[in-house]
C-alpha cells in the first residue's frame, strides 16, 4: 500500500458466492455500526486528522480511542482504518473550505470594524488557492473545490449566511452502506479476520472471513468455511505484473432494497515510466466539443499537422440517452399520478394494496433507468479515453494535451431531453470522469498527459494565430455567434475556416508542442497561453482538406480517423470496456 508514484492500485469487485452472502452482510452490518460510532465520536476532533504520522489511518484512530465493542482486535483495526480514512478525507476538505470561505464572504458581509480582514488577506488566500490548484494541476482539485463551493452556496441560500465552520454545513459523514478494508489485519496468510489464497493455475481465489453468526457470536471455525471465486483474465494479467494487496469487503445496495456483498480485490502494479520530453516529436491535442464529444489533432514540433483530425461524434448515443431521460420523466409523472390517487383513498381501502405494489414496480423501473443512464456515461468516458490513447499510440505521440478542467464550458441550451443530455454531458462530472480515466490509463501506459490553458483556444485561428470569430455555420456568416460551431479567421491574408472544435484541438496541440519545446530547451514545465509568441502556427500538409459542417461522420458510423474506421460501435467497440470495473483507489498515506 505504498503511495509511491511508480505504483498504482487497481480495484476489481468480485461478487461473493450466494452461500457466503448472508455471513458477509451480517459482518458488514456489525462493522458499519462500529465505524459510524468512531466517526461520530471523533468528529469533534476532525482537525487532528489533517496531520498524518503514519500511512495507516487505524493507528491514528487507535491512539485516540479504543474499540466500542470487544469483537476481536484485528476486526477493530480494520474498522478503525475505514473510519480513519473517512476522517482524513474530511479533514482535507475542511482545510480547503478554510481557504475558500473568506473569498465567498467577500463583499457579502456588511463592513464592521473587522470586516477588512478578509480583504487584507485576499492576496494570500489567492496564492494559497493557486498553490492548491497547482499541486493538482490537471484540475482534479478544482472539481473538488467546486463541490465545496456549491455546498457552501447551498448553505447560504437556505440560511442567508455562510457557515461559520465546515462542520456547520457538513453533516457527520456516517456510512450508509458497509465497507470493511482488511488493510488493518495481518495479511492474507496470517490474518485474524480474513484469509486469502490466490491460485494462478486454477485461476481462482480462496477466501475465508471471520463473521458473527445469526446470534451475534463470532464463529471460531471461520477459517474452515472457505469460498472460492474465479479470477477473471483481467485480474490474472495484473497479478503477473504486480501483487495483491489486502482486499476490502463492501456492500452494494440496490435502489429496490436488495443488498449484496462484494470483495474488492486490489492489485498493485508498477507504472511504466512517463515518456521523457527529449524523445517527443509530436503531440495529440483534444478538445471537448460543442457538437462532438471529442475532437483530436496531431501536430509535430515544427508546426505541421500530421494526418487528419479525428472526431468522436455521439449522435446515436445522445439519442439513446435522451430516450432514457424521457422514459424517466414519463415514469416519474406516472408515480406522481398514482401517489395522488393513493392519498385519496381512505385508510384500509382495498384499492390501496395494488396501488402500493404498482408504485414499487415503477420506482424500481426508474432506478433501473438511472443505472443504465449512468453506466452509459461511464462507458462513454472509457471509450473516449481509449480512443485518445489509441490515436496517440498510433501516431507516435508521447504527449496528450487536453483542455484544463478548470474551464467550464456550457453548451447545448436545448430544452428538450436531447439538449438536457448534452448539457449534462459537458458538465464537470463527465469531464472529470474522462479526465480521470484518461489520466490513469496514460499513467499505466507511460504516455504523458498535460493540461493546457483553455482561454481563447476556440476563438483563435490555428493557422495564423490571430483572434477569430465563430458563426452558427458557413451559411450564417453575417452574424457572429460566440457559441457557433464554425470558426472563420478575419485576417484577410489567411481566412482559414473550419469547425470550431477542430480549430480548438489544433490550438491545444500547438500549446502542447510549445510545452515540449520549452521542456526540451530549459528542462522546465511551462503551460503557455495561446497568445504567447512562442506558440507556433500550424502549417498544413497537402493531404488535409478543410472540413465541412456537420463533421463528415455519417450518423451510423461513430468513429472516423483516417484509417481507423469502425462501423457502429455496438458491433465494433465493446461498450463496457475492460477497464470499467477498475477504479483508482486512493489508499491512505
Ligand atoms: Zn488565420
Amino acid at each position: 500500500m505504498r503511495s509511491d508514484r511508480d505504483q498504482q492500485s487497481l480495484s476489481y469487485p468480485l461478487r461473493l458466492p450466494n452461500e457466503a452472502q448472508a455471513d458477509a452482510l451480517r459482518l458488514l452490518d456489525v462493522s458499519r455500526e462500529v465505524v459510524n460510532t468512531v466517526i461520530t465520536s471523533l468528529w469533534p476532533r476532525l482537525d487532528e486528522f489533517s496531520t498524518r504520522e503514519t500511512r495507516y489511518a487505524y493507528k491514528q484512530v487507535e491512539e485516540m480511542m479504543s474499540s466500542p465493542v470487544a469483537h476481536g482486535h484485528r476486526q477493530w483495526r480494520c474498522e478503525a482504518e475505514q473510519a480513519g480514512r473517512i476522517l482524513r478525507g474530511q479533514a482535507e476538505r475542511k482545510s480547503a473550505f478554510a481557504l475558500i470561505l473568506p473569498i465567498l464572504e467577500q463583499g457579502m458581509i456588511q463592513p464592521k470594524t473587522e470586516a477588512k480582514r478578509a480583504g487584507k488577506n485576499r492576496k494570500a488566500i489567492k496564492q494559497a488557492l493557486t498553490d492548491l490548484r497547482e499541486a493538482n494541476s490537471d484540475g482534479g482539485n478544482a472539481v473538488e473545490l467546486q463541490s465545496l463551493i456549491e455546498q457552501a452556496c447551498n448553505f447560504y441560500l437556505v440560511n442567508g449566511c455562510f457557515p461559520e465552520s465546515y462542520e456547520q454545513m457538513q453533516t457527520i459523514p456516517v456510512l450508509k452502506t458497509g465497507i470493511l478494508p482488511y488493510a488493518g489485519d495481518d495479511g492474507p496468510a496470517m490474518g485474524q479476520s480474513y484469509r486469502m489464497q490466490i491460485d494462478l493455475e486454477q485461476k481462482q481465489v480462496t477466501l475465508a472471513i471471520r463473521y458473527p453468526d445469526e446470534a451475534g457470536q463470532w464463529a471460531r471455525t471461520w477459517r474452515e468455511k472457505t469460498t472460492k471465486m474465479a479470477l477473471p483474465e483481467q485480474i490474472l494479467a495484473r497479478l503477473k505484473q504486480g501483487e495483491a494487496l489486502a482486499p476490502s469487503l463492501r456492500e452494494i445496495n440496490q435502489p429496490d432494497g436488495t443488498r449484496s456483498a462484494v470483495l474488492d480485490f486490489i492489485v498493485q502494479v508498477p507504472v511504466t515510466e512517463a515518456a521523457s520530453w527529449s524523445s517527443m516529436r509530436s503531440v495529440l491535442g483534444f478538445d471537448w466539443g460543442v457538437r462532438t464529444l471529442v475532437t483530436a489533432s496531431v501536430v509535430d514540433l515544427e508546426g505541421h499537422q500530421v494526418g487528419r483530425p479525428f472526431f468522436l461524434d455521439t449522435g446515436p448515443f445522445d439519442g439513446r440517452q435522451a430516450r432514457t431521460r424521457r422514459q424517466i420523466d414519463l415514469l416519474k409523472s406516472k408515480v406522481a399520478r398514482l401517489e395522488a390517487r393513493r392519498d385519496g383513498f381512505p385508510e384500509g381501502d382495498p384499492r390501496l394494496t395494488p396501488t402500493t405494489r404498482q408504485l414499487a414496480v415503477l420506482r424500481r423501473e426508474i432506478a433501473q433507468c438511472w443505472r443504465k443512464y449512468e453506466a452509459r456515461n461511464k462507458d462513454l468516458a472509457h471509450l473516449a479515453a481509449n480512443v485518445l490513447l489509441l490515436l496517440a499510440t498510433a501516431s507516435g505521440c508521447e504527449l496528450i494535451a487536453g483542455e484544463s478542467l478548470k474551464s467550464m464550458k456550457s453548451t447545448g441550451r436545448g430544452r428538450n431531453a436531447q439538449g438536457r443530455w448534452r448539457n449534462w454531458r459537458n458538465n464537470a462530472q463527465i469531464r472529470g470522469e474522462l479526465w480521470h480515466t484518461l489520466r490513469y490509463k496514460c499513467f499505466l501506459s507511460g504516455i504523458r498527459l498535460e493540461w493546457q490553458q483553455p482561454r481563447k483556444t476556440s476563438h483563435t485561428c490555428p493557422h495564423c494565430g490571430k483572434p477569430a470569430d465563430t458563426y452558427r455555420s458557413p451559411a450564417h456568416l453575417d452574424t457572429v455567434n460566440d457559441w457557433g460551431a464554425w470558426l472563420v479567421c478575419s485576417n484577410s491574408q489567411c481566412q482559414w475556416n473550419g469547425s470550431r472544435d477542430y480549430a480548438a484541438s489544433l490550438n491545444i496541440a500547438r500549446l502542447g508542442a510549445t510545452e515540449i519545446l520549452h521542456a526540451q530547451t530549459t528542462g522546465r514545465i511551462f503551460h503557455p497561453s495561446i497568445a504567447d509568441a512562442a506558440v507556433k502556427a500550424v502549417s498544413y500538409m497537402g493531404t488535409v482538406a478543410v472540413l465541412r459542417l456537420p463533421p463528415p461522420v455519417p450518423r451510423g458510423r461513430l468513429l472516423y480517423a483516417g484509417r481507423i474506421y469502425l462501423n457502429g460501435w455496438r458491433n465494433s467497440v465493446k461498450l463496457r470496456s475492460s477497464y470499467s470495473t477498475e477504479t483508482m483507489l486512493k489508499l491512505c498515506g
Side-chain angles (χ1 to χ4, degrees):
M1 231 207 290
R2 279 171 295 164
S3 60
D4 300 359
R5 288 198 142 206
D6 54 349
Q7 297 286 328
Q8 185 73 28
S9 297
L10 311 171
S11 166
Y12 304 85
L14 297 175
R15 192 182 184 276
L16 290 186
N18 287 341
E19 66 269 18
Q21 285 287 332
D23 295 339
L25 287 172
R26 217 179 300 117
L27 167 64
L28 282 166
D29 284 343
V30 170
S31 66
R32 181 167 63 106
E33 248 172 71
V34 177
V35 171
N36 287 345
T37 306
V38 176
I39 293 173
T40 312
S41 333
L42 297 183
W43 187 243
R45 298 171 68 181
L46 183 60
D47 292 338
E48 294 173 44
F49 284 90
S50 56
T51 49
R52 303 173 183 194
E53 272 157 23
T54 157
R55 68 195 157 98
Y56 288 110
Y58 77 80
K59 290 190 180 163
Q60 199 166 1
V61 170
E62 270 193 318
E63 277 174 21
M64 297 163 88
M65 67 184 285
S66 51
S67 180
V69 287
H71 59 351
H73 181 246
R74 294 306 189 273
Q75 171 68 24
W76 154 242
R77 264 196 193 171
C78 295
E79 290 152 356
E81 175 69 27
Q82 180 54 36
R85 286 180 187 182
I86 291 173
L87 289 164
R88 282 178 168 185
Q90 288 292 329
E92 257 176 38
R93 267 190 119 228
K94 184 176 173 177
S95 354
F97 173 75
L99 285 175
I100 61 164
L101 186 62
I103 298 174
L104 283 178
E105 281 178 337
Q106 243 182 1
M108 301 196 68
I109 289 169
Q110 290 303 308
K112 282 191 215 152
T113 38
E114 276 185 301
K116 279 182 185 152
R117 208 177 44 188
K120 266 186 196 161
N121 288 337
R122 197 169 173 204
K123 243 181 149 177
I125 294 159
K126 267 197 151 172
Q127 189 52 49
L129 261 184
T130 311
D131 293 348
L132 194 74
R133 280 213 204 130
E134 292 304 318
N136 227 326
S137 52
D138 55 25
N141 247 346
V143 173
E144 175 59 23
L145 273 182
Q146 208 175 316
S147 92
L148 258 177
I149 294 168
E150 274 167 18
Q151 202 178 343
C153 290
N154 286 339
F155 186 97
Y156 185 91
L157 292 172
V158 172
N159 301 288
C161 60
F162 285 109
E164 278 165 28
S165 67
Y166 175 69
E167 287 86 344
Q168 207 182 338
M169 70 166 190
Q170 174 66 54
T171 51
I172 301 180
V174 289
L175 286 180
K176 293 195 174 67
T177 54
I179 176 164
L180 184 67
Y182 281 115
D185 204 356
D186 303 314
M190 298 294 289
Q192 300 299 303
S193 49
Y194 86 111
R195 293 288 167 101
M196 193 171 81
Q197 206 186 348
I198 299 161
D199 188 337
L200 289 178
E201 260 169 38
Q202 295 296 314
K203 300 183 180 179
Q204 66 180 15
V205 57
T206 308
L207 179 77
I209 51 171
R210 185 170 171 268
Y211 59 91
D213 65 17
E214 276 152 34
Q217 299 296 314
W218 292 79
R220 289 184 180 281
T221 54
W222 64 271
R223 286 180 195 86
E224 288 138 43
K225 195 170 174 185
T226 57
T227 50
K228 290 186 196 308
M229 283 172 282
L231 286 175
E233 287 301 330
Q234 225 177 325
I235 301 187
L236 291 166
R238 292 295 185 210
L239 278 172
K240 278 174 198 147
Q241 304 165 350
E243 52 167 340
L245 298 182
S248 292
L249 201 61
R250 183 163 55 93
E251 171 190 349
I252 292 177
N253 216 335
Q254 304 289 6
D256 65 0
T258 342
R259 308 196 313 152
S260 57
V262 295
L263 183 79
D264 281 325
F265 191 91
I266 301 164
V267 191
Q268 189 178 52
V269 293
V271 168
T272 326
E273 220 171 283
S276 74
W277 292 101
S278 62
S279 68
M280 291 184 187
R281 291 289 165 266
S282 56
V283 52
L284 178 103
F286 78 91
D287 180 54
W288 286 92
V290 175
R291 298 288 178 272
T292 49
L293 178 66
V294 161
T295 306
S297 310
V298 176
V299 167
D300 70 14
L301 299 190
E302 284 74 47
H304 296 128
Q305 186 181 1
V306 183
R308 286 165 162 277
F310 171 90
F311 295 97
L312 179 56
D313 188 358
T314 55
F317 182 89
D318 285 357
R320 269 194 294 156
Q321 289 298 70
R323 273 198 299 283
T324 309
R325 274 301 291 260
R326 267 200 299 276
Q327 201 181 341
I328 291 170
D329 288 347
L330 210 75
L331 287 166
K332 274 188 181 163
S333 64
K334 269 192 194 168
V335 164
R337 270 203 310 275
L338 264 180
E339 277 175 345
R341 227 172 74 195
R342 179 199 59 190
D343 295 344
F345 294 143
E347 217 177 304
D349 193 299
R351 287 170 298 182
L352 269 172
T353 324
T355 311
T356 314
R357 205 180 313 132
Q358 238 175 315
L359 272 170
V361 171
L362 284 173
R363 290 209 178 96
R364 210 155 40 226
E365 266 179 64
I366 291 178
Q368 221 162 22
C369 283
W370 276 121
R371 271 206 300 283
K372 213 191 298 173
Y373 190 79
E374 277 155 20
R376 282 207 209 111
N377 287 335
K378 258 202 172 141
D379 284 336
L380 187 63
H382 278 278
L383 179 72
N386 285 347
V387 161
L388 287 171
L389 261 181
L390 178 70
L391 288 173
T393 311
S395 47
C397 296
E398 289 176 304
L399 173 69
I400 295 180
E403 178 189 16
S404 163
L405 276 179
K406 287 168 216 159
S407 73
M408 286 299 145
K409 215 191 269 180
S410 73
T411 57
R413 278 160 284 181
R415 281 177 169 273
N416 57 12
Q418 185 144 347
R420 251 187 293 170
W421 148 243
R422 271 186 197 277
N423 251 334
W424 192 85
R425 183 182 83 189
N426 279 290
N427 78 9
Q429 230 174 326
I430 187 144
R431 301 168 109 206
E433 183 87 40
L434 171 55
W435 191 265
H436 284 294
T437 312
L438 186 61
R439 181 171 62 174
Y440 138 79
K441 288 185 181 185
C442 283
F443 202 48
L444 285 178
S445 60
I447 287 179
R448 218 173 238 285
L449 177 67
E450 291 277 330
W451 67 267
Q452 307 298 331
Q453 298 195 37
R455 221 176 113 71
K456 298 255 161 57
T457 48
S458 35
H459 285 97
T460 300
C461 171
H463 196 199
C464 70
K466 296 270 177 340
D469 286 324
T470 49
Y471 304 84
R472 234 181 87 200
S473 83
H476 297 83
L477 297 184
D478 43 341
T479 330
V480 170
N481 177 343
D482 270 353
W483 290 107
W486 194 253
L487 181 139
V488 181
C489 178
S490 48
N491 174 4
S492 59
Q493 307 293 308
C494 170
Q495 292 190 316
W496 186 90
N497 62 115
S499 144
R500 163 228 188 94
D501 298 340
Y502 172 37
S505 76
L506 280 171
N507 283 330
I508 289 165
R510 290 164 66 202
L511 293 173
T514 312
E515 190 184 348
I516 295 175
L517 285 169
H518 192 266
Q520 286 178 348
T521 47
T522 67
R524 279 193 298 274
I525 293 178
F526 156 74
H527 294 106
S529 80
I530 199 72
D532 283 334
V535 179
K536 272 191 193 147
V538 176
S539 60
Y540 293 91
M541 294 179 144
T543 54
V544 181
V546 172
L547 292 158
R548 301 265 166 254
L549 249 193
V553 188
R555 282 295 175 187
R557 240 182 271 144
L558 266 170
L559 304 167
Y560 176 87
R563 288 190 188 143
I564 303 164
Y565 198 86
L566 302 163
N567 285 314
W569 67 357
R570 250 191 289 188
N571 304 327
S572 316
V573 181
K574 231 168 98 191
L575 242 187
R576 187 157 290 280
S577 91
S578 62
Y579 288 99
S580 61
T581 50
E582 293 178 5
T583 47
M584 280 219 279
L585 268 198
K586 258 197 185 163
L587 296 172
C588 58

